[in-house]
Amino acid sequence: QVQLVESGGGLVQPGGSLRLSCAVSTIIFGIRTMGWYRQAPGKQRELVATMSSGGGTNYGDSVKGRVTISRDNTKSTVYLQMDSLKPEDTAVYYCNVALWTRENYWGQGTQVTVSS
């Protein structure tokens, strides 16, 4: 019954910013990480950013320094602030919740297009 719903994607010019949001439908126990992954057509899914239950963060090398992951106090929403966007950031961005049991929940994705 858990649902993750992403929002905030869209078209942005190079150098611009977007903030993605992921709303979680219910309280989830046993969370290991919450985060974001992205996938462009014909390419592998890659890590963007994750946050552990204790608040530690991990960023993909391609976006390090340009994105920031955060969450609200109830863990009901996770955010991805993206700045200095590049055309290579164009992809579908997926919200993810990973449990200690190795179960994963995924959102349906939100499209981010960076183009002039």
Side-chain angles (χ1 to χ4, degrees):
Q1 193 171 337
V2 174
Q3 294 185 1
L4 309 180
V5 181
E6 302 98 333
S7 62
L11 176 64
V12 64
Q13 295 186 83
S17 298
L18 285 175
R19 190 175 80 153
L20 307 183
S21 299
C22 174
V24 182
S25 65
T26 187
I27 296 176
I28 303 174
F29 297 97
I31 293 174
R32 178 175 63 85
T33 64
M34 304 178 71
W36 295 88
Y37 295 77
R38 69 186 184 185
Q39 187 168 29
K43 302 184 68 177
Q44 291 184 279
R45 181 174 58 192
E46 66 173 346
L47 167 72
V48 179
T50 60
M51 177 175 284
S52 71
S53 59
T57 57
N58 187 37
Y59 294 97
D61 289 340
S62 63
V63 299
K64 191 170 298 183
R66 300 188 296 116
V67 307
T68 303
I69 188 170
S70 62
R71 67 188 181 198
D72 65 16
N73 292 333
T74 64
K75 300 181 181 179
S76 63
T77 308
V78 60
Y79 304 96
L80 185 72
Q81 177 68 41
M82 303 190 292
D83 302 307
S84 301
L85 285 164
K86 307 173 181 179
E88 62 194 22
D89 295 318
T90 297
V92 177
Y93 285 69
Y94 296 93
C95 181
N96 168 262
V97 175
L99 308 185
W100 289 106
T101 61
R102 298 183 62 82
E103 184 176 8
N104 282 272
Y105 297 104
W106 293 94
Q108 293 184 351
T110 184
Q111 177 71 47
V112 171
T113 302
V114 184
S115 177
S116 59

